């Protein structure tokens, strides 16, 4: 394969890097590796490359791009101990459909390289339930994950170490194994996990020319030396057959897994005098099996556990009559009763009976394996929801985000789902955001310009512009993972009643942290909202009609407007949670809310107050007694009030311009206040030592300078500052500060005496 590597550091402009990558592809390169891309530059490069038909298939240690049609998928396959034998027919079917299938070896595979693969594929297939599915399921989830369990894994403890919450679908080969899987997981069985029963695909075909003359005394046994295969049972069977006719001989093909079992088997063969009647042929390659079967008449299976018995059916396709001891695990679901026996006598009777022609068993084996039907069923495990053409609207409100908005929009436009639009609503930006967006050429993108108001009003405009059945929110400083919409479409196909899907988040940048990595099925969750906001707004998927039912965002809530909306929506909506990490969430000084950042929590207090007015205590706290509800609401109100930090209040007096008597009257007014829990700050253009009060020297009232002064005085605390004005006050003047604090909680209007300066 022709590979070309380009160092991103050599290209100051990402467009030049993309142009060079396209030239390399046009020149015959099958793979172009872009080395040194950070998250933002990756998305800026991935969008135009995707438009040209190229996709990233691995992100570690560098981003590897290959040609892949828009309607085809990248499927990653892993297998325990790299045993891809049973998976080969499945991968062949995937490739026949035009998908790119990458076989990933488990040798030297670590968490970082595994994430690099999983983050850039559509589907991850884990063959066997005790291999890479265990560590992969404990990593952040980025793609659809399917695990096929064959049976033996369910009798070992290792598979229980997997986080089955992160697996979308488990495939087992029998109803018996499905029942065991469910029983073993017990109350830890994820409610959202799909469990599907599908037989194995096989490359074996009925022989075009079946050897008509078989040695009726030659028996085949295809089994490895391991306890479940129960090969010691062959010995009494052969003793009974040899008593009938000394020409009976069994040929065993299979590897030795248990040396002690093989040793004891060989010793007993000698003890029973069966050396001429039991022949071990060792491990045979698959392409030699047809020839090996040619002179044999029956296939004997003595296993005590078989889920499907593929070895039995492969022998049938070669024209052999099956004689199988009844086994747990699901064999009875596939093999008809006439070919199953319960004891030595029944086995002897079946083997010594007249056999049908080899062609009969070959045709019957083909019917029983149902390969044509399975080939039509397997693709559902990896194909998109092709019959679902519902439109998603990715909504991106933005204001002065020229540094981040292009990567955000590019990440939205590289979604692997075919049915979506991207709507950017600009809230009157004064930087270069709009000019940068003009450089993105895609018919799915609409940019709406409006006069500057605030964030909730801009979100409402985005909803009004949306055409989709569902909206997906993306902040203009965040990034949307390429599988987000496809993941939501799959969930909506499974849970049609859902109104809101909340997803997992990862912190943007090299220092990864993860949030909200939980899975919960759709439910009414009103009882959770009184404890705080539990729905992540970034990346959330919302049924658009929900806004018509409960109203949009409240423009008065300059902060926590998402929580305020959820507090109304949860009374109507079915809400579910997905651990899929759909959003890379950027933390910076411009966030309205950020981890570790002091914010105005009075908005949460207002939401709580509205909650207890809107809903009954029983609806909010259904599991509590009436007395416990009353106590909880009182304690929660007190807790939220204390978090509002209303006493971190600075009353600012302007002593720069007004005459001295104004200063005296203002100080006298504050001295009469019944609520004295506040800080006084006098701003003057010269020292005022006679006052004995803090004075900030400045030539004008500057909110930024006041905020800096307050941050120095009360570091790490959320504070508010108000300018005391010379205005008339109606009412009890001694209650002015108390009324001001009530206004901070939305319980009163701001008194005319005060003008807000900061926070």
């Amino acid at each position: 394969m022709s590979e070309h590597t380009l160092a991103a550091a050599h290209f100051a402009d990402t467009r030049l890097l993309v142009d060079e990558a396209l030239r390399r592809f046009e020149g015959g390169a099958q793979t172009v590796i872009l080395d040194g891309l950070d998250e933002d530059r990756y998305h800026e490069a991935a969008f135009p490359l995707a438009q040209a038909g190229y996709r990233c298939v691995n992100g570690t240690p560098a981003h590897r791009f290959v040609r892949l049609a828009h309607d085809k998928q990248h499927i990653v396959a892993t297998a325990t101990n790299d045993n891809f034998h049973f998976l080969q027919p499945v991968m062949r079917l995937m490739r026949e459909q035009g998908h790119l299938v990458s076989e990933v070896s488990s040798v030297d595979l670590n968490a970082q390289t595994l994430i690099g693969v999983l983050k850039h594929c559509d589907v991850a297939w884990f063959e066997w339930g005790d291999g890479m599915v265990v560590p992969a399921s404990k990593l952040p989830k980025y793609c659809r994950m399917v695990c096929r369990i064959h049976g033996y894994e369910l009798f070992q403890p290792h598979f229980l170490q997997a986080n089955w919450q992160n697996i979308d679908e488990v495939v087992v080969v029998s109803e018996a194994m499905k029942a065991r899987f469910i029983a073993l997981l017990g109350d830890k069985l994820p409610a959202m996990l799909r469990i599907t029963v599908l037989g194995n695909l096989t490359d074996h075909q009925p022989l075009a020319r079946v050897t008509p003359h078989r040695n009726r005394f030659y028996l085949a046994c295809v089994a490895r030396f391991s306890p479940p295969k129960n090969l010691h049972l062959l010995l009494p069977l052969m003793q009974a057959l040899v008593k009938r006719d000394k020409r009976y001989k069994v040929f065993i093909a299979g590897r030795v897994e248990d040396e002690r079992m093989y040793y004891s088997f060989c010793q007993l063969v000698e003890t029973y005098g069966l050396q001429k009647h039991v022949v071990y042929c060792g491990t045979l390659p698959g392409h030699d099996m047809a020839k090996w079967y040619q002179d044999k008449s029956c296939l004997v299976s003595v296993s005590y556990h078989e889920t499907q018995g593929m070895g039995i059916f492969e022998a049938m396709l070669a024209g052999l009559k099956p004689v199988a001891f009844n086994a747990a695990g699901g064999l009875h679901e596939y093999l008809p009763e006439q070919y199953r026996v319960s004891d030595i006598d029944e086995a002897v009777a079946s083997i010594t009976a007249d056999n049908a022609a080899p062609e009969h068993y070959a045709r019957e084996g083909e019917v029983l394996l149902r390969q044509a039907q399975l080939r039509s069923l397997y693709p559902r495990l990896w194909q998109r929801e092709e019959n679902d053409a519902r439109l998603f609207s990715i909504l991106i409100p933005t204001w002065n985000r020229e540094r981040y908005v292009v990567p955000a929009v590019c990440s939205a436009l590289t979604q692997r789902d075919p049915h979506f639009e991207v709507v950017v609503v600009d809230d009157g930006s004064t930087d270069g955001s709009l000019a940068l967006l003009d450089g993105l050429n895609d018919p799915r993108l609409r940019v709406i310009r409006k006069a500057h108001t605030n964030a909730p009003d801009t979100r409402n405009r985005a909803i009004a512009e949306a055409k989709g059945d569902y909206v997906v929110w993306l902040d203009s400083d965040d990034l949307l993972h390429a599988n987000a919409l496809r993941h939501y479409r799959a969930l909506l196909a499974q849970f049609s009643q859902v109104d809101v899907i909340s997803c997992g988040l990862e912190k943007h940048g090299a220092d990864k942290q993860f949030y909200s990595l939980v899975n919960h099925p759709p439910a009414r969750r009103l009882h959770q909202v009184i404890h705080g906001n539990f729905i992540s707004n970034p990346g959330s998927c919302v049924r658009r009609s929900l806004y018509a039912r409960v109203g949009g965002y409240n423009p008065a809530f300059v902060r926590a407007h998402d929580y305020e909306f959820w507090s109304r929506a949860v009374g109507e909506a079915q809400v579910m949670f997905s651990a899929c990490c759909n959003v890379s969430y950027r933390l910076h000084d411009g966030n309205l809310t950020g981890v570790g950042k002091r914010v105005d929590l009075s908005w949460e207090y207002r939401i709580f107050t509205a909650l207890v007015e809107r809903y009954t205590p029983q609806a909010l706290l259904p599991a509590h007694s009436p007395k416990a509800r009353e106590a909880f609401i009182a304690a929660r109100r007190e807790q939220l009030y204390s978090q509002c930090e209303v006493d971190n209040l600075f009353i600012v007096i302007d002593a720069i311009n007004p005459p001295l008597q104004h200063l005296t009257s203002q100080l006298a007014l504050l001295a009469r206040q019944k609520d004295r829990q506040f800080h006084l700050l006098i701003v003057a253009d010269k020292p005022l030592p006679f006052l004995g009060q803090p004075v900030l020297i400045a030539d004008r009232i500057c909110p930024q300078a006041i905020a800096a002064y307050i941050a120095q005085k009360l570091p790490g605390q959320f504070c508010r500052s108000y300018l005391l004005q010379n205005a008339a006050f109606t009412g009890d003047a001694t209650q002015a500060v108390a009324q001001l604090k009530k206004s901070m909680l939305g319980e009163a209007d701001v008194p005319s005496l005060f003008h807000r300066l900061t926070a």
Side-chain angles (χ1 to χ4, degrees), residues 367-602:
V367 171
L368 293 172
L369 280 174
R370 303 182 303 122
Q371 291 297 290
Q373 182 182 1
L374 288 173
R375 284 177 63 86
S376 68
L377 294 175
Y378 261 90
R380 186 197 61 77
L381 298 171
W382 59 79
Q383 282 180 344
R384 297 185 176 99
E385 299 289 340
E386 295 180 346
N387 296 325
D388 183 358
R390 286 176 293 187
L391 185 71
F392 287 101
S393 295
I394 302 175
L395 304 184
I396 308 178
T398 186
W399 180 59
N400 287 345
R401 286 280 193 257
E402 66 176 334
R403 182 178 174 185
Y404 307 123
V405 69
V406 170
V409 175
C410 287
S411 74
L413 290 170
T414 50
Q415 288 298 298
R416 294 166 189 160
D417 186 276
H419 305 295
F420 70 93
E421 64 171 355
V422 178
V423 181
V424 179
V425 179
D426 181 79
D427 188 24
S429 290
T430 56
D431 61 2
S433 299
L434 291 172
L436 291 172
L437 291 175
D438 287 340
L440 299 178
N441 182 23
D442 194 298
R444 300 167 299 180
L445 172 64
R446 287 188 288 133
V447 179
I448 310 299
R449 296 160 169 81
K450 62 180 280 292
H452 180 61
T453 52
N454 59 23
D457 183 64
T458 305
R459 289 187 183 274
N460 289 335
R461 176 64 182 276
I463 296 166
E465 295 287 343
K467 299 176 181 177
D469 300 285
Y470 290 84
V471 303
V472 174
W473 290 106
L474 178 64
D475 290 342
S476 58
D477 50 356
D478 295 339
L479 302 170
L480 192 64
H481 189 267
N483 280 334
L485 296 191
R486 188 185 174 201
H487 177 64
Y488 288 146
R489 192 176 298 279
L491 291 178
L492 292 169
Q494 187 177 359
F495 303 101
S496 60
Q497 77 275 27
V498 71
D499 297 299
V500 177
I501 306 174
S502 179
C503 69
L505 311 174
E506 68 176 348
K507 179 184 172 185
H508 181 278
D511 180 23
K512 289 297 182 188
Q513 297 177 35
F514 300 92
Y515 311 94
S516 304
L517 302 184
V518 294
N519 288 294
H520 295 296
R524 291 286 177 88
R525 303 186 182 277
L526 179 59
H527 63 284
Q528 292 179 247
V529 73
I530 197 169
H531 300 279
N533 189 14
F534 61 98
I535 302 173
S536 298
N537 202 67
S540 60
C541 176
V542 185
R543 191 188 299 269
R544 184 162 61 97
S545 61
L546 181 64
Y547 293 101
R549 285 155 51 194
V550 304
Y553 295 94
N554 188 338
F557 277 70
V558 293
R559 221 208 101 248
H561 50 271
D562 54 341
Y563 180 23
E564 193 280 330
F565 169 74
W566 299 132
S567 73
R568 289 180 280 117
V570 291
E572 298 276 341
Q574 290 277 334
V575 181
M576 75 178 299
F577 293 84
S578 168
C580 205
C581 211
N582 286 340
V583 170
S584 179
Y585 180 72
R586 196 188 307 263
L587 297 178
H588 57 86
D589 290 340
N591 291 128
L592 285 177
T593 303
V595 177
K597 182 179 178 181
R598 302 294 294 186
V599 294
D600 183 357
L601 293 176
S602 67

Side-chain angles (χ1 to χ4, degrees), residues 110-170:
N110 57 37
Q112 183 179 2
T113 55
L114 189 55
I115 284 182
V117 172
L118 298 178
K119 206 168 186 176
H120 295 281
C121 72
D122 299 278
V123 180
W125 183 291
F126 300 94
E127 189 75 355
W128 317 96
D130 59 350
M132 291 309 301
V133 68
V134 175
S137 66
K138 297 177 181 179
L139 295 172
K141 179 179 171 66
Y142 297 101
C143 64
R144 174 170 169 77
M145 301 174 77
V146 178
C147 178
R148 186 163 69 163
I149 293 176
H150 290 263
Y152 80 89
E153 307 99 309
L154 301 183
F155 297 89
Q156 299 177 359
H158 194 57
F159 94 98
L160 290 171
Q161 298 176 20
N163 176 18
W164 295 103
Q165 292 279 354
N166 267 356
I167 305 302
D168 295 280
E169 192 155 1
V170 166

Side-chain angles (χ1 to χ4, degrees), residues 77-80 82-94 103 125-128 148-153 171 173 198-204 222 224 229 255 257 306-314 369 371 378 382:
T78 72
T80 300
D82 290 351
N83 180 7
F84 290 95
H85 170 70
F86 282 102
L87 189 54
Q88 291 297 338
V90 178
M91 293 192 295
R92 188 170 295 109
L93 179 58
M94 294 171 176
E103 297 179 34
W125 183 291
F126 300 94
E127 189 75 355
W128 317 96
R148 186 163 69 163
I149 293 176
H150 290 263
Y152 80 89
E153 307 99 309
V171 181
V173 297
L198 282 178
N200 284 300
L201 286 177
T202 178
D203 288 332
H204 291 265
V222 180
R224 61 190 182 275
K229 296 305 179 182
R255 66 184 179 274
E257 290 185 359
E306 286 287 352
T307 53
Q308 183 178 4
M310 286 304 294
I312 297 171
F313 289 104
E314 289 169 0
L369 280 174
Q371 291 297 290
Y378 261 90
W382 59 79

Side-chain angles (χ1 to χ4, degrees), residues 317-357:
L317 294 175
L320 277 67
K321 174 185 177 180
V323 179
F325 280 80
N326 280 309
L331 182 63
H332 67 281
E333 299 172 32
Y334 292 94
L335 190 65
E337 185 178 6
Q338 66 264 30
Y339 298 126
R340 304 196 312 269
V341 298
S342 297
D343 55 39
I344 298 292
D345 292 339
E346 288 184 13
V348 170
S350 180
I351 292 170
T352 57
D354 291 335
N355 291 347

Side-chain angles (χ1 to χ4, degrees), residues 54-111:
Y54 301 98
R55 255 191 62 181
C56 180
V57 295
N58 197 330
T60 304
H63 292 89
R64 179 182 297 265
F65 286 82
V66 301
R67 175 170 285 282
L68 188 62
H70 291 290
D71 60 339
K72 303 304 178 184
Q73 299 183 84
H74 178 215
I75 303 172
V76 165
T78 72
T80 300
N81 298 323
D82 290 351
N83 180 7
F84 290 95
H85 170 70
F86 282 102
L87 189 54
Q88 291 297 338
V90 178
M91 293 192 295
R92 188 170 295 109
L93 179 58
M94 294 171 176
R95 290 177 174 127
E96 287 172 3
Q97 295 180 337
H99 303 302
L100 173 64
V101 182
S102 299
E103 297 179 34
V104 177
S105 172
S106 58
V107 178
D108 298 327
L109 190 63
N110 57 37

